[in-house]
Amino acid sequence: MTAATDLAAATNENLAHLSNVLIYSAMAVYTLAFFAYIAEWLFGSRSKVGRTAAALTAKPQAEAGSGPAVTVQQAGGTAVLERPKVVVRSASGTRDVPDGPGAHGGDQQGDLYGRIAISLTALGFLLEFGGVLTRALSVERAPWGNMYEFNITFSTVAVGVYLTLLGLRKNVRWLGLPLITSVLLDLGLAVTVLYTESDQLVPALQSYWLYIHVSTAIFCGAVFYVGAMSTVLYLFKDGYENKLAGGGTPGRFADSVLDRLPAAASLDKFAYRVNAAVFPLWTFTIIAGAIWAGDAWGRYWGWDPKETWSFITWIAYACYLHARATAGWKGRKAAYLALVAFGCWLFNYYGVNIFVSGMHSYAGV
């Protein structure tokens, strides 16, 4: 028995070490992806000249929102790119703004670097998923027993949501740079401040509800995060479009970056649909947590800080969805409310676990 126990302990220790190696490897690959996304945006900025020329020489049929093809001189030949989108306005006081060409800006090299970035993101996702899986195998349980494990799983799911949207051919490549930047910050926080050695769960967590409740909470958080980033970009793009509509001249950075994003209306619609789609699952998450609390502590609801802030988050998102569905609250007002709701989720995620004591403090950080 002793030899078998020692062998199992050694195996688990090796798996835990492998998990750390995979997480650090994922961070290295994500860093390469980060620079590739930067290159995509930089080459897209360079192609602004071509897009401006296309807009100035647009033919009448371009009034629907597209300009002529752009011919790019290359060593040994030429390459014809897709026609860029041109901003048009149907009448004074209204906006008819098509989606921008994307981070690559219609530039062939920018598009190449963007594809490289996506490939590196997919590789980093596989490495990080391997790190989460080996962490689970090392402790023979779900890898959600403390904040470190929650963080690495959360960032893995967030990247997975992004790649899934790309696989469904959604126009979300503009999300790559801010997503990978925040994922690197999240993993950096996880491996430094929040790192915790592998250990067994306390009795209260030893339940099949751990797989149900925590997994849905992680998935909901990842989707809310995608919605929040879309909302932030919507606010910037809406301000950019308002300035153009008012005859103003945006700054050089805004004119180079924001014109490549989807239209403000598209970003607003995307954020709303993402949040609305995952809200029922967040409702289920809270209900599942209450049922688990009844099994573990003998009561379904006790206004513990984690329970309270989960409910506050639910109320905030419910208010946002109601406001967004009401004509008078579409646009910026609803967007601000969406960010308040995500702020509640963030405080529930970090603040309650780190700064507030309660019955959910058993896992430490």
Side-chain angles (χ1 to χ4, degrees):
M1 285 294 294
T2 302
T5 302
D6 291 343
L7 178 61
T11 301
N12 291 342
E13 184 178 351
N14 290 334
L15 285 171
H17 177 69
L18 177 60
S19 173
N20 294 338
V21 171
L22 288 172
I23 294 298
Y24 277 102
S25 299
M27 292 177 66
V29 174
Y30 283 146
T31 301
L32 294 176
F34 169 80
F35 286 114
Y37 282 120
I38 289 290
E40 178 185 21
W41 280 95
L42 288 176
F43 281 106
S45 296
R46 185 183 66 174
S47 69
K48 173 69 176 178
V49 175
R51 298 200 307 279
T52 302
L56 294 175
T57 59
K59 295 180 180 179
Q61 62 265 28
E63 292 177 358
S66 298
V70 178
T71 302
V72 179
Q73 296 292 333
Q74 292 182 315
T78 61
V80 179
L81 303 179
E82 295 181 0
R83 294 186 300 178
K85 301 287 186 180
V86 179
V87 175
V88 296
R89 289 177 174 78
S90 57
S92 177
T94 64
R95 291 188 303 186
D96 180 16
V97 184
D99 291 343
H104 56 80
D107 182 86
Q108 192 175 47
Q109 281 187 292
D111 182 64
L112 174 62
Y113 278 106
R115 294 177 185 277
I116 292 173
I118 292 172
S119 299
L120 290 170
T121 301
L123 176 59
F125 168 77
L126 293 176
L127 290 170
E128 190 178 10
F129 177 79
V132 173
L133 180 61
T134 50
R135 175 78 176 198
L137 294 174
S138 71
V139 289
E140 301 177 359
R141 58 166 173 79
W144 310 317
N146 51 61
M147 284 290 289
Y148 167 74
E149 294 173 354
F150 198 97
N151 259 43
I152 61 175
T153 305
F154 169 77
S155 58
T156 303
V157 174
V159 175
V161 169
Y162 169 65
L163 293 175
T164 299
L165 290 172
L166 285 176
L168 295 173
R169 299 190 180 280
K170 302 296 183 181
N171 178 23
V172 294
R173 272 180 61 172
W174 45 268
L175 198 59
L177 180 58
L179 174 71
I180 291 303
T181 302
S182 54
V183 163
L184 283 171
L185 292 173
D186 179 77
L187 289 177
L189 180 66
V191 300
T192 53
V193 178
L194 301 177
Y195 182 77
T196 305
E197 294 290 344
S198 300
D199 200 359
Q200 295 303 313
L201 295 174
V202 296
L205 288 179
Q206 295 176 3
S207 169
Y208 63 89
W209 283 105
L210 173 69
Y211 295 90
I212 300 173
H213 172 65
V214 182
S215 63
T216 55
I218 292 173
F219 179 77
C220 288
V223 177
F224 282 147
Y225 174 64
V226 170
M229 283 198 293
S230 304
T231 301
V232 170
L233 292 175
Y234 156 74
L235 291 172
F236 281 108
K237 186 62 183 277
D238 184 63
Y240 171 76
E241 291 179 3
N242 284 335
K243 194 165 188 176
L244 286 178
T249 303
R252 184 176 180 181
F253 174 80
D255 197 41
S256 174
V257 173
L258 297 180
D259 71 322
R260 284 178 275 162
L261 293 175
S266 298
L267 290 169
D268 183 39
K269 185 183 297 184
F270 176 76
Y272 171 67
R273 288 179 174 177
V274 163
N275 289 324
V278 81
F279 181 73
L281 188 60
W282 180 249
T283 304
F284 170 78
T285 301
I286 295 176
I287 295 173
I291 297 173
W292 187 11
D295 290 345
W297 300 318
R299 82 326 178 250
Y300 293 102
W301 195 267
W303 296 105
D304 179 76
K306 177 68 73 172
E307 296 169 348
T308 301
W309 276 95
S310 295
F311 183 61
I312 291 173
T313 302
W314 185 91
I315 291 293
Y317 272 107
C319 290
Y320 159 71
L321 294 175
H322 176 72
R324 179 60 177 76
T326 303
W329 274 82
K330 288 182 180 179
R332 298 184 74 87
K333 290 182 179 179
Y336 291 137
L337 189 52
L339 293 181
V340 169
F342 184 68
C344 292
W345 188 90
L346 275 181
F347 183 77
N348 188 39
Y349 177 28
Y350 285 108
V352 172
N353 284 65
I354 297 175
F355 302 113
V356 182
S357 297
M359 296 188 72
H360 285 77
S361 301
Y362 41 71
V365 297

